[in-house]
Amino acid sequence: MYNPNKVTESIREYHGELTEIRRDIHQNPEHAYKEHRTAALVVDRLKAYGVDEVHTGIGGTGVVAVVRGKLGESRAAVGLRADMDCLAMNEETSVLWKSKNGGFMHACGHDGHTTMLLGAMKYLAKSRNFAGTVYGVFQPAEEGAAGAKAMIDDGLFVRFPMKAIYGLHNAPWVPLGKMAVRNGAMMAAADQFEVVIEGKGGHGGMPQFVCDPIVTASHVITALQTIASRNVDPADSAVVSVCAIEGGKMTTYNVVPREVKMVGTIRTYRTETQATVFARMQQIVETTAAAFGAKGTITLRKGYPATVNHPREAALSAEVGREVFGHDNVITEIFPNTGGEDFAFFLQAIPGAYIWVGIQSETSFGLHHPCYDFDDRIIPTGAGLLAAIAEKELSQ
Ligand SMILES: [Zn+2]
Ligand SMILES: [Zn+2]
């Protein structure tokens, strides 16, 4: 009964229609929690496809579609997720479906993810070749504003209990025609820090009367480099990047400022490593500053947690993927990526897997690049993968 190839072949029949939807969403990008037109388009399509129920306004602009299978009674359910939001940046492509909203752009391919989930839901609503319920989860605000968490906080898993959730992201670092999934971390925890070094300002020509926050900050920055190299297990990894530094004036040549500020990002894959990095950063900032007679303070802000796949669901994704993409086209030996992803919140709440679908070709640009455009060629396989995973999870 369950045949992933057939699923993809059926969805291939809507490739033209889905490509139009994708380009329509691309042309009308909407930012975090403002995905009103996109959500309305999703609802309109879902109703036309004949899904059983459509729920709106979950976690802001989130939408959940419900499709029940025809293969007998079952209380089992799975979720398939897509993100709907765009980025606040200017598009520099020359495609006909270029963004009409100046300053906003689908530079991460969420237009494609939304479209592929629509394709999967259309197929599932038509075939209903499974036992149980499939929830199509269309989330807002993936880019930095934690739309996944907003949906969970709004009762997503209470109102729609599911045994597992799956999501995919197009990946310019995976070749077109292939997919990648691994057990464990796929994406990193992305945290922020802010450091203030407070010294005593004064005459640049009379250093004996000042406590120089610039020299102190330089030592702090150098010492921070030792966290990844000296405190983290070489088989694990961490990133500590100072990304901005501010102190003094570029027009003043003889004044030592009183204060230097810097901000940056931290990436880790494991909570233990995250705790180590946080503790070492605090120690380095405070004690290095103290060694120079200055005062160092650090504020650490947790962002998205690491996106960590569950073993069973990662294996199931790879198994289904081998049918959809071909036996040699599923990569499981791949390094996690140091980007952040709020699918992490779903994977902290329930089992599931996050999958990369390759778009790397001679013409592809990186995610968040002003010339990036989603590759419509992956619509049938991406949608097919999601639908086939649901069928596999809910097969009798
Ligand atoms: Zn992104
Ligand atoms: Zn993205």
Side-chain angles (χ1 to χ4, degrees):
M1 203 64 147
Y2 155 77
N3 183 340
N5 270 316
K6 267 212 168 117
V7 175
T8 309
E9 284 321 305
S10 303
I11 293 173
R12 218 174 274 286
E13 287 168 26
Y14 341 130
H15 198 173
E17 172 198 339
L18 292 171
T19 301
E20 272 176 43
I21 291 174
R22 204 287 291 180
R23 293 175 181 180
D24 182 14
I25 299 173
H26 187 91
Q27 203 161 24
N28 298 280
E30 292 173 306
H31 203 228
Y33 299 113
K34 296 200 176 75
E35 305 91 341
H36 300 291
R37 184 188 183 275
T38 311
L41 181 152
V42 164
V43 170
D44 178 70
R45 289 295 83 211
L46 289 168
K47 286 185 175 163
Y49 300 157
V51 303
D52 295 307
E53 294 166 29
V54 181
H55 301 263
T56 59
I58 304 162
T61 44
V63 176
V64 174
V66 183
V67 178
R68 295 187 191 88
K70 65 177 183 195
L71 303 184
E73 288 289 304
S74 169
R75 297 175 67 88
V78 287
L80 305 173
R81 169 273 201 172
D83 37 15
M84 301 189 289
D85 60 318
C86 74
L87 285 151
M89 60 186 280
N90 271 315
E91 180 161 353
E92 289 174 21
T93 71
S94 50
V95 297
L96 291 171
W97 48 93
K98 185 176 174 173
S99 169
K100 288 196 287 194
N101 298 345
F104 295 97
M105 170 190 183
H106 269 294
C108 205
H110 300 183
D111 47 349
H113 305 162
T114 299
T115 302
M116 290 190 284
L117 183 51
L118 281 174
M121 296 312 286
K122 176 172 180 170
Y123 164 80
L124 291 165
K126 204 164 117 187
S127 66
R128 298 181 184 260
N129 198 12
F130 54 93
T133 307
V134 178
Y135 297 120
V137 179
F138 297 82
Q139 77 155 80
E142 190 286 320
E143 298 285 358
K149 188 169 183 303
M151 287 190 86
I152 296 169
D153 291 346
D154 207 6
L156 176 70
F157 294 132
V158 179
R159 290 173 67 186
F160 311 99
M162 50 187 95
K163 63 173 178 174
I165 188 161
Y166 294 85
L168 59 78
H169 204 293
N170 72 102
W173 54 91
V174 176
L176 184 69
K178 293 183 187 282
M179 61 159 264
V181 66
R182 71 192 294 275
N183 179 21
M186 287 289 282
M187 307 287 285
D191 305 316
Q192 298 177 341
F193 65 87
E194 196 184 303
V195 169
V196 180
I197 306 292
E198 214 183 311
K200 183 166 159 259
H203 201 300
M206 303 175 197
Q208 70 274 32
F209 300 124
V210 306
C211 169
D212 189 344
I214 291 183
V215 171
T216 307
S218 308
H219 281 268
V220 169
I221 293 168
T222 307
L224 289 175
Q225 309 312 309
T226 65
I227 298 175
S229 66
R230 304 288 88 182
N231 303 129
V232 173
D233 189 322
D236 189 9
S237 50
V239 177
V240 177
S241 290
V242 175
C243 297
I245 176 161
E246 196 181 271
K249 282 203 179 72
M250 292 305 286
T251 49
T252 307
Y253 291 82
N254 56 2
V255 177
V256 172
R258 190 176 67 85
E259 193 180 85
V260 168
K261 279 185 187 167
M262 41 200 178
V263 299
T265 190
I266 306 161
R267 304 293 159 114
T268 50
Y269 297 117
R270 302 165 69 239
T271 38
E272 301 88 326
T273 311
Q274 184 189 46
T276 304
V277 172
F278 277 24
R280 284 297 293 144
M281 288 189 80
Q282 180 142 19
Q283 209 171 20
I284 286 171
V285 168
E286 289 172 3
T287 59
T288 307
F292 290 90
K295 189 180 169 220
T297 46
I298 183 165
T299 311
L300 292 150
R301 262 189 303 274
K302 279 195 183 179
Y304 291 169
T307 304
V308 182
N309 281 345
H310 295 242
R312 177 188 163 275
E313 287 70 22
L316 185 142
S317 305
E319 189 189 331
V320 175
R322 283 186 197 100
E323 302 286 334
V324 173
F325 288 82
H327 245 262
D328 300 328
N329 292 326
V330 174
I331 304 165
T332 53
E333 294 289 324
I334 191 165
F335 286 125
N337 181 294
T338 38
E341 162 65 55
D342 84 342
F343 194 74
F345 291 110
F346 293 138
L347 294 181
Q348 282 190 332
I350 64 169
Y354 179 76
I355 303 151
W356 289 326
V357 176
I359 59 157
Q360 185 185 63
S361 72
E362 270 158 33
T363 53
S364 60
F365 283 92
L367 299 176
H368 297 200
H369 190 284
C371 294
Y372 168 89
D373 188 30
F374 179 80
D375 193 326
D376 291 315
R377 288 176 290 183
I378 69 166
I379 290 175
T381 44
L385 177 69
L386 290 173
I389 285 174
E391 282 194 358
K392 174 83 178 166
E393 275 279 18
L394 303 175
S395 59
Q396 279 184 315

